[in-house]
Amino acid sequence: MSRAAVICGLGGALPATAVTNEELAAQLDTSDRWIRTRTGIGLRYVVAPGESTSDLAVAAGKRALESARRKGGDEAGDVDLVVLATSTPDRPCPGTAPGVAHRLGLGTVPAFDVAAVCTGFVYALATAASMITAGVARRALVIGADTFSTILDPVDRTTRAIFGDGAGAVVLRAGESGEPGALLGFDLGSDGGGADLITVRAGGSRQRSTGEPPAEGDQYFAMEGRPVFTEAVINMSESSQRLLDRVSWTAADLDKVVAHQANVRILHAVGEQLGLEEKQIVVNLDRVGNTVAASIPLALSDAAAAGDLVPGHRVVLTGFGGGLTWGSAALVWPDIEPVTQP
């Protein structure tokens, strides 16, 4: 057996403020039926004034560390690396991860951000796993956290219906490839030709260097729904299949696919492309919305807490997001107890 990164802790965090479809309908030209029919979402959570991505990241990180300690003892929480996936950092500079590590009391461990939008957690997971297998780190805290409510156009009924805020985290430790929880393989990709499909046009060096104020609306998140739907289904399906081939699994071997929680129709279409039944696709977006980099670890937490994801399950994680980016990871689910909302 070879050295591998093994998932040994899992946690999630949501803001306190829940927003129902009915509440959105009172503000915008929409309805509960319109939102549920097109997205499958019934509820999402948003940060309070003054609450930031790092606040959610710290809460999820604490819970993942607690989860690791429950099975592995106090030493299981002694991580020496923090990787934070986010596209809504607290500030443009510096990165958010060092502050998260500091607030978690982790000392001077290396900590950095990864920006791959909704694929961010898979990219961060692959990065941390590679550093563990290379011997650079022994244990890592990998967090996906986003507060997209802070960058949405308040009058855009589509994006406000879809996105919610949240954070999810896992702890990785050095182990062997044959044990449960070992990350068995990854498939990652990108296509910068589709950068304008999922974007915030203003606020970066390109817009700032013009010396002109941003055009109206450019400070908000924008997405081209129809092509994004198509690209998401194609790339998550193909990435998952390449990964299955790489780890010598077939779709029939899979117990669960935990995909980025973008839209229930996308999730079902990915399942159809892979020849899976609906029960094999983990869905929690109806209760939390699209939480961007947090969506996969939050879905893992919910599924494990509900008993839908049990030790021994063969699992593929897959995501698609801005960039365009996509990525997948495979593992056999370990015996861990997630720590979620109190």
Side-chain angles (χ1 to χ4, degrees):
M1 295 183 193
S2 57
R3 182 180 172 99
V6 179
I7 292 181
C8 62
L10 175 63
L14 294 168
T17 303
V19 179
T20 66
N21 290 350
E22 289 80 8
E23 288 173 302
L24 285 180
Q27 304 170 30
L28 304 166
D29 180 19
T30 190
S31 67
D32 175 67
R33 178 188 171 102
W34 188 91
I35 295 169
R36 288 184 187 274
T37 301
R38 286 160 178 77
T39 69
I41 297 168
L43 187 71
R44 76 285 297 147
Y45 292 79
V46 299
V47 291
E51 190 176 16
S52 71
T53 294
S54 68
D55 296 323
L56 298 180
V58 168
K62 282 181 179 177
R63 290 169 182 158
L65 292 169
E66 180 185 342
S67 170
R69 292 184 181 111
R70 287 183 178 182
K71 293 290 184 179
D74 289 344
E75 185 180 313
D78 295 335
V79 301
D80 50 6
L81 170 68
V82 176
V83 185
L84 171 64
T86 187
S87 295
T88 50
D90 284 11
R91 310 174 187 175
C93 175
T96 303
V100 170
H102 174 73
R103 290 172 60 186
L104 288 170
L106 300 177
T108 57
V109 301
F112 56 91
D113 295 1
V114 170
V117 199
C118 299
T119 320
F121 180 76
V122 178
Y123 267 57
L125 199 64
T127 301
S130 297
M131 294 180 77
I132 287 174
T133 57
V136 176
R138 295 178 302 108
R139 290 187 181 87
L141 177 62
V142 180
I143 307 171
D146 270 304
T147 52
F148 256 50
S149 68
T150 63
I151 60 171
L152 299 180
D153 185 338
V155 298
D156 184 348
R157 69 173 182 170
T158 302
T159 58
R160 284 197 60 198
I162 292 171
F163 291 95
D165 303 334
V170 298
V171 177
L172 302 180
R173 62 167 175 83
E176 296 183 339
S177 57
E179 61 181 301
L183 293 164
L184 303 175
F186 292 92
D187 177 81
L188 304 173
S190 74
D191 178 9
D196 286 340
L197 296 181
I198 302 172
T199 188
V200 177
R201 292 183 173 84
S205 62
R206 183 170 298 281
Q207 178 267 314
R208 289 175 182 270
S209 70
T210 66
E212 300 292 331
E216 184 177 357
D218 279 2
Q219 72 271 36
Y220 297 123
F221 174 83
M223 180 172 65
E224 298 290 337
R226 232 171 244 183
V228 166
F229 185 104
T230 301
E231 292 286 343
V233 173
I234 291 172
N235 285 296
M236 284 196 285
S237 301
E238 292 183 351
S239 177
S240 296
Q241 187 59 61
R242 284 192 298 269
L243 179 62
L244 290 173
D245 295 341
R246 193 167 298 157
V247 300
S248 299
W249 290 355
T250 67
D253 295 321
L254 279 178
D255 294 292
K256 296 292 180 181
V257 170
V258 183
H260 165 55
Q261 304 287 301
N263 177 307
V264 73
R265 293 186 298 162
I266 289 176
L267 296 178
H268 290 161
V270 170
E272 289 173 8
Q273 290 294 312
L274 294 171
L276 304 176
E277 298 179 21
E278 283 190 12
K279 67 180 181 180
Q280 292 172 273
I281 307 296
V282 169
V283 178
N284 80 331
L285 64 80
D286 56 317
R287 304 182 297 279
V288 299
N290 178 343
T291 55
V292 197
S295 77
I296 290 175
L298 279 175
L300 287 172
S301 295
D302 284 355
D308 294 330
L309 188 59
V310 299
H313 271 173
R314 291 189 175 190
V315 181
V316 162
L317 318 177
T318 188
F320 171 84
L324 299 171
T325 57
W326 56 85
S328 303
L331 72 155
V332 175
W333 193 248
D335 182 14
I336 57 176
E337 182 180 345
V339 179
T340 54
Q341 298 293 99

